[in-house]
């Protein structure tokens, strides 16, 4: 009888000793138990500071060199800008434009070629506001020795395809009476769709330009049409150079 009691007590003793060991094994196998409660999280890299006007201005100044700078005495400075074209060989003619800086309006203007309001034409230039990206502006101009045309539409055809057209019959058109006739002009901002169409114009494209009004239409002469072809190609190059250079440096707001 005594031997039976001893055996039973031994079984209970072994069972009670095995429970802590099993619990320890379970804890060791648990992933949560292996991670210290005080484990630190890796610090995030510091945020890149926003661009400033100084960054934007520095990026712009790297695009071109200025010469023939003149203070006009009314807050406007005129200058001649010479753009370096990436990949261009030394000694080749660079992209050039006549520039103006209007400090009162925080604007710069870049006009390629010689664009003068003397005869009916289609003009273009780049407008650049401080801290922003460039904009392309288009200006149909009509000079009439025999009276008004009341312009309300302009269209450009390149190699038989109409690549650009704008109707402005509901917009205000600037007019003036001159000693030798009358003049009409309307300046507007080119849309992305306008720009895409104008990019189809090539140096050897045959370009026709029609300006329409309430009293009919006139064709821009071949000399002025050729000038527009050259100028719009240069304007789009300047537009692209500025966009690529300034986009990474736009100040907030």
């Amino acid at each position: 009888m005594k031997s039976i009691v001893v055996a039973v007590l031994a079984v209970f003793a072994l069972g009670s000793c095995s429970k802590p060991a099993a619990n320890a094994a379970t804890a060791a196998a648990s992933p949560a138990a292996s991670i210290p409660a005080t484990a630190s999280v890796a610090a995030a890299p510091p945020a890149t500071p926003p661009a400033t006007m100084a960054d934007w201005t520095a990026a712009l100044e790297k695009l071109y060199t200025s010469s023939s700078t003149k203070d006009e005495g009314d807050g406007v400075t005129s200058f001649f800008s010479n753009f370096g074209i990436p990949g261009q060989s030394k000694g080749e003619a660079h992209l050039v434009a006549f520039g103006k800086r209007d400090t009162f309006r925080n604007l710069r203007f870049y006009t390629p070629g010689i664009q003068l309001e003397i005869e009916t034409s289609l003009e273009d230039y780049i407008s650049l506001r401080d801290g922003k990206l460039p904009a392309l502006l288009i200006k149909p101009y009509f000079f009439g020795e025999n009276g008004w045309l009341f312009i309300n539409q302009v269209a450009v055809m390149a190699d038989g395809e109409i690549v650009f057209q704008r109707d402005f019959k509901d917009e205000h058109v600037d007019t003036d009476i001159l000693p030798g006739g009358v003049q009409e002009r309307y300046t507007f901002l080119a849309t992305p769709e306008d720009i895409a169409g104008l990019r189809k114009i090539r140096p050897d494209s045959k370009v026709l330009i029609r300006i329409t009004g309430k009293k009919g239409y006139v064709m821009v002469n071949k000399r002025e049409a050729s000038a527009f072809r050259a100028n719009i190609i240069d304007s789009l190059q300047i537009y692209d150079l500025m966009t690529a250079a300034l986009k990474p440096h736009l100040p907030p707001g």
Side-chain angles (χ1 to χ4, degrees), residues 108-122:
R108 291 175 174 83
F109 303 100
Y110 303 85
T111 305
I114 299 176
Q115 303 187 45
L116 301 175
E117 293 183 345
I118 297 177
E119 54 188 329
T120 299
S121 59
L122 185 59

Side-chain angles (χ1 to χ4, degrees), residues 34-228:
S34 65
I35 301 176
T38 58
S40 60
V41 179
T48 303
T52 65
M53 268 305 302
D55 298 328
W56 182 91
T57 303
L60 177 65
E61 291 177 346
K62 291 178 181 178
L63 278 176
Y64 61 86
T65 57
S66 298
S67 60
S68 304
T69 302
K70 179 183 178 183
D71 184 350
E72 303 292 348
D74 56 357
V76 175
T77 302
S78 60
F79 57 91
F80 189 72
S81 54
N82 189 327
F83 290 80
I85 302 176
Q88 189 176 53
S89 302
K90 185 176 180 181
E92 292 183 3
H94 282 201
L95 184 62
V96 297
F98 293 97
K100 283 189 177 182
R101 161 67 171 161
D102 189 333
T103 308
F104 280 107
R105 299 164 65 191
N106 296 322
L107 283 170
R108 291 175 174 83
F109 303 100
Y110 303 85
T111 305
I114 299 176
Q115 303 187 45
L116 301 175
E117 293 183 345
I118 297 177
E119 54 188 329
T120 299
S121 59
L122 185 59
E123 302 179 5
D124 61 277
Y125 61 95
I126 298 295
S127 173
L128 181 64
R129 185 172 295 279
D130 289 356
K132 303 297 182 181
L133 292 177
L136 175 66
L137 285 96
I138 306 293
K139 181 176 66 174
Y141 172 80
F142 168 74
F143 178 80
E145 296 180 351
N146 302 313
W148 305 101
L149 182 61
F150 300 110
I151 64 174
N152 55 30
Q153 187 184 79
V154 61
V156 178
M157 181 182 291
D159 301 319
E161 176 188 359
I162 297 176
V163 297
F164 170 76
Q165 186 168 317
R166 176 64 67 93
D167 187 311
F168 47 91
K169 64 178 180 296
D170 296 324
E171 305 297 332
H172 172 73
V173 174
D174 293 327
T175 60
D176 201 3
I177 299 176
L178 302 177
V182 298
Q183 63 180 11
E184 307 173 37
R185 70 172 73 81
Y186 175 67
T187 304
F188 56 90
L189 183 69
T191 66
E193 293 75 17
D194 295 334
I195 291 173
L198 291 168
R199 290 188 188 280
K200 296 180 180 180
I201 298 176
R202 304 299 179 193
D204 60 349
S205 291
K206 180 182 178 181
V207 173
L208 299 176
I209 303 171
R210 175 185 288 188
I211 298 178
T212 302
K214 292 180 180 179
K215 291 192 173 183
Y217 67 84
V218 295
M219 298 299 295
V220 172
N221 66 41
K222 290 183 178 181
R223 181 179 63 257
E224 290 294 336
S226 296
F228 174 77

